[in-house]
Amino acid sequence: MTVIMDGKSCADKIIEKIKSEVVQYDKKPTLAVILIGNNHASSIYVANKQKKADYIGFNSILINLPYDVSENNLLEQIYKLNDNPDVNAILVQLPLPKTINQQKILEAIDPIKDVDCFTSYNFGWLALGYNPYVVPCTPKGIIRLTDEYKIDLEGKNIIVIGRSNIVGKPLSLLLEQRNATVTVAHSKTKNLTALSSSQDIVISAVGIPDFITTEYIKEGAVVIDVGINRTDKGITGDVKFDEVKDKASFITPVPKGIGPMTIAMLMENTLELFKIQHSFIN
Ligand code: NAD
């Protein structure tokens, strides 16, 4: 019997735990989100994050800047948040307009407030196998969900399809730290079906609906679908769920899979940064 991995209920448990911890503190952790323009998908993601932060009892600040904001103006906003002792966590919602140098913007975030591990300081520590202040939300959420279902990662052959800086790349590093043997595939990978169908765990972060069919999956493999694709049929993942689920041992749905785990990890990271900044933990 295939197990459908319930990211929503796992995330809800984490949120409740954070909520009960937060009431103990005199100050509220504060998450600041910078959103550029009014991209529909980004606005929904940001609204969901704020809703969850409010529910937990965090302060949430939204800085919504116009699409044509200048790089200097955006940098100034980040410096202000860096200097504000009441702000514990800063998230710049991606993607940014093409006219803005993303690297320059993300590097401006104070690493101790870098809630999604965007800066080279934190990412570098992650790559070296040391502890960054916090690890990136989506990869962290994926690993947390596999832990919840007691899926042992050690020694497993895992393919991560997609090599972006926010999902594929950091995820491959974290999996390697858990002693998995990791293959990273991307748009130029040859013979992806053959490669993927030999793996114990397939993780797709491509952004193409129905991309992963049964041909990509070994009988009994674990299938993690990171994709969030807006289609005429609503939100779907990368995996052709209805057919792949019969071949997989464990599979995540979309929605209610990795999406809620990402938000839960954003909240957890905000709390962790708050605690680091107030010296509650080392
Ligand atoms: P991205 O566009 O930055 O990266 C996509 C990756 O897919 C690239 O590395 C590219 O090489 C690879 N790719 C594209 N076509 C391919 C092909 N034919 N074969 C193999 N690889 C191919 O995207 P991203 O930001 O990493 O996001 C990927 C997907 O995950 C999107 O659907 C996004 O919405 C979703 N996402 C979900 C969450 C979540 O919380 N569930 C978080 C972040 C991103």
Side-chain angles (χ1 to χ4, degrees):
M1 256 280 280
T2 308
V3 176
I4 314 288
M5 298 167 77
D6 188 346
K8 169 83 170 61
S9 75
C10 181
D12 285 348
K13 273 196 281 180
I14 295 164
I15 295 289
E16 290 308 321
K17 190 161 168 274
I18 299 171
K19 191 173 192 279
S20 63
E21 182 176 342
V22 165
V23 291
Q24 302 167 23
Y25 301 120
D26 296 337
K27 289 184 99 174
K28 286 180 174 184
T30 298
L31 168 67
V33 179
I34 299 183
L35 173 67
I36 317 289
N38 57 3
N39 174 287
H40 183 62
S42 295
S43 303
I44 293 175
Y45 296 148
V46 168
N48 287 339
K49 288 166 186 174
Q50 284 209 290
K51 218 165 101 185
K52 210 48 95 179
D54 294 342
Y55 172 76
I56 288 173
F58 289 172
N59 284 322
S60 66
I61 298 172
L62 172 64
I63 298 174
N64 195 180
L65 300 169
Y67 193 78
D68 60 357
V69 64
S70 71
E71 209 167 85
N72 281 343
N73 202 329
L74 180 50
L75 284 170
E76 260 170 43
Q77 297 290 338
I78 294 175
Y79 297 145
K80 266 195 219 160
L81 294 172
N82 285 346
D83 291 341
N84 183 344
D86 292 331
V87 171
N88 308 109
I90 303 170
L91 181 76
V92 177
Q93 184 68 39
L94 300 178
L96 296 177
K98 295 251 180 306
T99 48
I100 287 179
N101 180 334
Q102 180 171 301
Q103 187 186 357
K104 203 167 159 187
I105 298 303
L106 298 183
E107 282 301 311
I109 302 170
D110 184 339
I112 207 168
K113 298 187 177 186
D114 175 18
V115 73
D116 210 1
C117 197
F118 281 157
T119 59
S120 57
Y121 180 95
N122 283 322
F123 201 96
W125 281 65
L126 178 72
L128 290 167
Y130 306 134
N131 289 331
Y133 286 115
V134 288
V135 299
C137 301
T138 302
K140 186 182 183 189
I142 292 167
I143 292 187
R144 184 67 66 81
L145 191 61
T146 58
D147 286 345
E148 174 78 9
Y149 282 86
K150 304 201 169 12
I151 295 166
D152 190 10
L153 301 173
E154 184 160 313
K156 294 281 160 50
N157 293 322
I158 305 181
I159 189 164
V160 176
I161 312 176
R163 58 175 165 184
S164 71
N165 287 347
I166 60 167
V167 188
K169 209 170 283 174
L171 176 61
S172 66
L173 294 167
L174 289 173
L175 292 170
E176 191 189 270
Q177 284 169 20
R178 297 289 289 262
N179 297 319
T181 303
V182 186
T183 303
V184 179
H186 46 78
S187 56
K188 306 287 182 234
T189 298
K190 298 220 170 21
N191 303 322
L192 181 56
T193 340
L195 201 59
S196 177
S197 60
S198 67
Q199 302 289 311
D200 303 313
I201 302 179
V202 177
I203 305 178
S204 181
V206 172
I208 303 177
D210 293 341
F211 182 76
I212 302 291
T213 57
T214 48
E215 289 151 39
Y216 286 78
I217 307 297
K218 174 172 89 170
E219 191 74 47
V222 174
V223 181
I224 311 276
D225 191 351
V226 187
I228 300 179
N229 307 300
R230 283 161 207 284
T231 70
D232 297 344
K233 291 181 243 157
I235 290 179
T236 69
D238 292 347
V239 176
K240 211 164 186 182
F241 185 84
D242 286 340
E243 58 178 61
V244 171
K245 79 170 189 324
D246 295 330
K247 208 170 177 185
S249 54
F250 292 82
I251 188 167
T252 61
V254 177
K256 300 191 177 176
I258 301 305
M261 289 302 295
T262 296
I263 296 186
M265 294 301 105
L266 177 66
M267 301 303 137
E268 189 175 273
N269 282 358
T270 299
L271 180 60
E272 279 179 25
L273 292 177
F274 169 84
K275 285 165 42 174
I276 292 167
Q277 289 159 32
H278 289 83
S279 306
F280 296 141
I281 53 170
N282 294 316

